[in-house]
Amino acid sequence: MKLGDVGELEILERLRKRFASCSEDVIVGIGDDAAALDIQGHTLLISTDTMTEGIHFDLTLVTPYQVGFKLVSSNVSDIFAMGGRPKWSLLSMTLPPDTEKSFLDSFLEGISAGIKRYGLDLVGGDITGSRNSFTVSLTISGMAEKRVIRRSGASVGDRVYLSGPVGEASCGLELLKRLGRSVNLERGEELQLSLKWESVGPLLMRFLLPEACDVSEYSEYITSMIDISDGLFLDLTRLCRESSVGVRLYEVRLPVTEALGEVSAFLGKAPYGFITSGGEDYQQLFTSREPLSMFIEIGEITDRGLYIVRRDGSEEEIRPEGYQHFVSQ
Amino acid sequence: MKLGDVGELEILERLRKRFASCSEDVIVGIGDDAAALDIQGHTLLISTDTMTEGIHFDLTLVTPYQVGFKLVSSNVSDIFAMGGRPKWSLLSMTLPPDTEKSFLDSFLEGISAGIKRYGLDLVGGDITGSRNSFTVSLTISGMAEKRVIRRSGASVGDRVYLSGPVGEASCGLELLKRLGRSVNLERGEELQLSLKWESVGPLLMRFLLPEACDVSEYSEYITSMIDISDGLFLDLTRLCRESSVGVRLYEVRLPVTEALGEVSAFLGKAPYGFITSGGEDYQQLFTSREPLSMFIEIGEITDRGLYIVRRDGSEEEIRPEGYQHFVSQ
C-alpha cells in the first residue's frame, strides 16, 4: 500500500500512537501546533515546518525571498497558536549543487527579513546537497507566555473566532497561476491589470508575504486555538476533533473582504470556496466564552456534528476540505 | 555562480556573518555542534540534522530502518558533543506519494529504536509530500549537564583525544558498495564471506547502526569537543579553526582495529585513508589538559599549523579531507 492511498491524517494518527509514551516533562506532544516542554517550571514551545519545491511552492510563481519569508511566518504562526512568544530558530536547507548563489542569497534575505520581523535569532541549522530538489525546514522555539493554549480546550457554548479574514491567500495563488509569473512585492513591483492595485496588492501580499497573527494579548480569554494553514474547514475539523466537540458556523458571518470579492469575481469564482478551504492565511482560529468584539465571531461550539448554516438558512455538513498531503486534491 | 563552486564551509561562513546579531540569551549560536540557549538560568541545547536520499544514503545499500536509527544517532551525537543530555526530538519527513507504507513503517521502527536507545521522546514534527525525493530532518534538544563544551575551548598544550576508533564506518560503506546490497543487521542477518563475520559484523554495524558516544562523565576535564561526522581531519580542522590553535597528531597513535585492518586489506586499501578522512563514525574528538587513559590520545594542541607525524617520522600538513557538501569529492 502506498502513502497516496493512506493520507496525511492517518499517517499522523499512526505516529501519535507509535510515539505516545512521553516523559513527565512533555506537556504537549505530537498533534498540536507545537510541542510544549517543561524546563524547570518554564514552558518551552517548539515546532518545525518543512517546505519543498513543487509541493509547497512553485518557483515560477514565487521568488526565493518569498519562500524564505513565508517559511518563517508559517513557523511563527505555530508558536503564536499555542499562546507563545517565538525566540530562536534553526534552518535546514537541502539544495541541488547547481543552485545559483544569487538564489540562495535571495532566499536568505527573505529568511532574514522574517527573523527581523518577529524579533528572532537564527542560532543554527544544517546545509546539505540534494540530487534535484530544494527543501527547507525551519524549527522555531520560544517560551509560553502565560499558559499553553491547546487545540483541545474548546467546550460547548464557546464562541468561535477568526483573528482576521481568510481566503485571500488562496485567491492570491489562483490569480498568480492565471498570471503565470512571480511578482516581486518585496522590491515594490506593481502590476498593470484591469483590477485596482489597492485590491490586488494586499491580496497577493497575503499569499506571497503572509504575516503570522499574534492574539496572545487575549490569551486569558482563549479556550482553544489552531492556526489556519491548511484551510478553515480542515483546521476547524482538527480543533473540534481534539476538543471532542461539534461546531455550527454561519456563512453570513464569514468576512468577504473587498479585495477577495473583486479578485474572485475577476477569476469567475465564488469567494466561499477560498474562505472555507483555502490554506496559508495564517490567521488564528480560536474559541472563547467571552464576547471579543475585536475579532470575527463566526459560530459556536456544539456538542457534536460540524455544520455551517448557509445564507439561505439550510444547514450543511462541514467536510474537512483543505490541503492534506498524500491525498489527491 | 553556483553553490558547487562555493562549497559548504564558505556558505556556512556567510550564514554566520549574516545572522551574527544575537540576543543575550543565545550562549552559542551558529557554528558549533548545537546551539545553546539560556532559559532562566538553565541551558537548552538544540541541533538539527537532515539526511536526503542519494546524498546521505543509498537505499540499495541501507534499509529504511537503518536510515531512521542513524538519523537519531547523528543528532544525539551533536548534543553529546556539547556535553549535554538529549531529551526531546521532532521529526520532519518529506516523502514521495508512491512511497510504500512498509517503507515508512520500517523507517519509523528505526527512529523508534533510536528514540528508545537514548531515552528520548518524539514530541512533534511534520510530514509532507515531495515530488521525488525522500528527505528527513530530526531536531533534538536537551539540557546541558554541567557546562557547555564548545569547539573553541582548546589551548596550546592540550592533549587531543578520540572517544574510540574511527574509520570503520567508511570502511563498512566501501565493503557494502563492493557487495552492492543492503544487510539487514537489525534482523540478525549475517553474510557468508571469505572474511570472519566477527570482524565484518561490527564494522558494518558502525556504518549501518552507529551509536553516539557520550563522554559527559568526564566533561569537567574537557576543554573543547566536536563529534566526528565528516572525517577526523575535517572535523579536527574545524575545532582548531574555532579555537585558533594548531595541532600535531601522530599516525602511530591512530588506532587500527583488527576489523578495520582485515576489511581494508580485503578491499585492497590502506586503513589510513579511512581513519583520517572517513566520516560517520560519531566518535567524539576532544581536548583536555589531563591524561585520560580511558580514551585514545592521538596528539597535542600547538599554537599554529596542522600536522601529522607519519610513521617514518616525516611531518605532513593535515588537509581537511572529508565530506563537504557542494564540493566535488
Side-chain angles (χ1 to χ4, degrees):
Chain A
M1 185 184 274
K2 299 193 189 294
L3 295 188
D5 307 318
V6 182
E8 182 187 358
L9 293 183
E10 195 184 323
I11 298 171
L12 277 174
E13 206 42 54
R14 283 163 184 276
L15 274 173
R16 257 173 110 155
K17 280 192 189 129
R18 185 190 272 275
F19 297 99
S21 71
C22 274
S23 316
E24 275 183 7
D25 52 21
V26 178
I27 303 166
V28 179
I30 295 175
D32 215 309
D33 291 286
L37 308 167
D38 175 51
I39 295 182
Q40 312 282 333
H42 306 281
T43 304
L44 179 81
L45 298 169
I46 182 163
S47 170
T48 186
D49 253 342
T50 298
M51 288 168 58
T52 187
E53 188 183 345
I55 302 283
H56 297 87
F57 54 88
D58 174 345
L59 289 171
T60 60
L61 301 181
V62 301
T63 64
Y65 179 102
Q66 291 161 358
V67 174
F69 189 87
K70 186 186 267 196
L71 182 63
V72 179
S73 285
S74 75
N75 245 293
V76 162
S77 181
D78 285 324
I79 301 292
F80 283 160
M82 306 291 288
R85 188 159 62 91
K87 297 188 74 170
W88 308 291
S89 57
L90 292 109
L91 175 64
S92 279
M93 299 180 279
T94 310
L95 304 157
D98 64 352
T99 304
E100 290 288 341
K101 209 187 121 305
S102 58
F103 178 95
L104 179 63
D105 285 341
S106 166
F107 170 73
L108 290 175
E109 212 186 304
I111 290 281
S112 190
I115 295 281
K116 286 207 186 82
R117 164 66 184 79
Y118 302 105
L120 308 176
D121 280 305
L122 185 75
V123 297
D126 192 24
I127 178 163
T128 62
S130 78
R131 277 188 308 190
N132 45 30
S133 73
F134 173 50
T135 299
V136 281
S137 285
L138 198 72
T139 300
I140 294 195
S141 54
M143 305 309 293
E145 294 279 66
K146 292 151 201 153
R147 62 192 188 85
V148 174
I149 301 173
R150 305 188 55 163
R151 294 179 179 179
S152 59
S155 52
V156 178
D158 281 4
R159 299 155 190 253
V160 180
Y161 291 96
L162 283 175
S163 60
V166 294
E168 291 193 342
S170 55
C171 183
L173 170 59
E174 276 303 304
L175 181 61
L176 277 176
K177 284 182 181 167
R178 194 73 66 88
L179 298 171
R181 53 159 293 191
S182 62
V183 185
N184 222 318
L185 292 181
E186 61 274 23
R187 302 262 181 273
E189 183 181 356
E190 296 191 8
L191 299 180
Q192 299 298 327
L193 300 169
S194 59
L195 288 158
K196 287 198 306 272
W197 184 250
E198 298 81 70
S199 295
V200 172
L203 188 121
L204 288 179
M205 190 71 94
R206 288 276 356 136
F207 177 71
L208 295 174
L209 296 169
E211 302 218 339
C213 187
D214 178 14
V215 300
S216 64
E217 199 185 326
Y218 303 93
S219 66
E220 62 189 301
Y221 306 113
I222 297 176
T223 52
S224 71
M225 181 150 60
I226 187 172
D227 78 319
I228 303 186
S229 49
D230 296 331
L232 172 60
F233 278 3
L234 181 54
D235 288 316
L236 178 62
T237 302
R238 288 173 174 147
L239 184 141
C240 288
R241 187 183 301 162
E242 293 299 314
S243 294
S244 305
V245 296
V247 73
R248 187 180 298 106
L249 296 191
Y250 300 91
E251 182 184 357
V252 70
R253 297 194 196 164
L254 296 177
V256 184
T257 61
E258 198 181 324
L260 179 61
E262 283 178 25
V263 181
S264 296
F266 174 80
L267 295 167
K269 297 204 169 188
Y272 185 74
F274 292 124
I275 292 172
T276 59
S277 308
E280 305 202 55
D281 282 293
Y282 304 110
Q283 295 290 351
Q284 303 294 346
L285 173 70
F286 59 95
T287 58
S288 174
R289 305 203 73 78
E290 310 298 325
L292 298 171
S293 60
M294 63 295 283
F295 298 113
I296 305 159
E297 189 179 335
I298 59 171
E300 66 255 348
I301 295 295
T302 61
D303 78 341
R304 75 178 68 176
L306 284 75
Y307 298 99
I308 181 161
V309 181
R310 301 296 306 258
R311 283 182 192 277
D312 63 8
S314 65
E315 217 168 58
E316 260 178 28
E317 197 167 351
I318 287 175
R319 280 176 306 176
E321 285 163 344
Y323 194 80
Q324 263 203 72
H325 288 279
F326 310 114
V327 172
S328 307
Q329 302 292 314
Chain B
M1 187 184 273
K2 298 193 189 295
L3 295 189
D5 307 318
V6 182
E8 184 188 355
L9 294 183
E10 193 182 325
I11 298 170
L12 278 173
E13 206 43 52
R14 282 163 185 277
L15 275 171
R16 259 174 109 155
K17 281 194 188 128
R18 184 189 272 277
F19 296 100
S21 72
C22 275
S23 317
E24 275 183 8
D25 51 22
V26 178
I27 303 166
V28 179
I30 294 174
D32 215 309
D33 291 286
L37 308 167
D38 176 50
I39 295 181
Q40 313 283 332
H42 306 280
T43 305
L44 179 81
L45 297 170
I46 184 164
S47 170
T48 188
D49 252 343
T50 299
M51 286 167 58
T52 188
E53 190 184 344
I55 302 285
H56 297 86
F57 54 88
D58 173 346
L59 288 170
T60 61
L61 302 182
V62 299
T63 65
Y65 179 102
Q66 291 160 359
V67 174
F69 188 87
K70 185 186 269 196
L71 181 62
V72 179
S73 285
S74 75
N75 245 292
V76 162
S77 181
D78 284 325
I79 301 293
F80 283 160
M82 305 291 288
R85 188 160 61 91
K87 297 189 76 172
W88 308 291
S89 57
L90 293 111
L91 175 66
S92 280
M93 297 179 281
T94 311
L95 303 158
D98 65 354
T99 304
E100 291 288 342
K101 207 187 124 303
S102 58
F103 177 94
L104 180 62
D105 285 341
S106 165
F107 170 72
L108 290 175
E109 213 185 301
I111 291 282
S112 192
I115 295 281
K116 286 205 185 83
R117 164 67 183 79
Y118 302 104
L120 308 176
D121 280 307
L122 185 75
V123 297
D126 191 24
I127 178 163
T128 62
S130 78
R131 277 188 307 190
N132 45 28
S133 73
F134 172 51
T135 300
V136 281
S137 286
L138 198 72
T139 300
I140 293 195
S141 53
M143 306 308 293
E145 294 278 67
K146 293 152 201 149
R147 62 190 188 87
V148 174
I149 303 173
R150 305 187 56 163
R151 294 180 179 178
S152 57
S155 52
V156 178
D158 282 4
R159 297 154 191 255
V160 180
Y161 291 97
L162 283 174
S163 60
V166 294
E168 291 194 339
S170 56
C171 183
L173 170 59
E174 276 304 304
L175 180 61
L176 277 175
K177 282 183 183 166
R178 193 74 65 90
L179 298 170
R181 52 160 292 191
S182 62
V183 184
N184 222 315
L185 292 181
E186 61 274 24
R187 301 261 181 273
E189 183 181 356
E190 296 190 7
L191 299 180
Q192 300 298 327
L193 299 170
S194 59
L195 287 158
K196 288 198 307 272
W197 183 251
E198 298 82 70
S199 295
V200 173
L203 186 121
L204 287 178
M205 189 72 95
R206 288 273 3 132
F207 177 70
L208 295 173
L209 297 169
E211 303 216 339
C213 187
D214 179 13
V215 299
S216 64
E217 199 185 323
Y218 303 93
S219 66
E220 61 189 300
Y221 306 113
I222 297 175
T223 52
S224 71
M225 183 150 58
I226 185 170
D227 79 318
I228 302 186
S229 51
D230 296 330
L232 172 61
F233 277 2
L234 181 53
D235 289 316
L236 177 63
T237 302
R238 287 173 174 146
L239 184 140
C240 288
R241 188 183 301 163
E242 291 301 314
S243 293
S244 304
V245 295
V247 72
R248 187 179 299 106
L249 296 191
Y250 300 90
E251 182 185 358
V252 70
R253 298 195 196 164
L254 297 177
V256 184
T257 62
E258 197 180 324
L260 179 61
E262 283 178 26
V263 181
S264 295
F266 175 80
L267 294 167
K269 297 204 168 188
Y272 186 74
F274 292 125
I275 293 172
T276 57
S277 306
E280 304 201 56
D281 282 292
Y282 304 110
Q283 295 291 351
Q284 303 295 346
L285 174 69
F286 58 93
T287 57
S288 175
R289 303 204 75 79
E290 309 298 325
L292 298 171
S293 59
M294 62 297 281
F295 299 113
I296 304 159
E297 190 179 333
I298 57 170
E300 68 252 349
I301 295 296
T302 61
D303 77 339
R304 76 178 66 176
L306 284 76
Y307 297 99
I308 181 162
V309 180
R310 301 296 306 260
R311 282 183 193 278
D312 63 7
S314 66
E315 217 168 57
E316 261 179 26
E317 197 166 352
I318 288 174
R319 278 174 309 176
E321 285 162 345
Y323 194 81
Q324 261 204 73
H325 288 280
F326 310 115
V327 172
S328 308
Q329 301 293 313

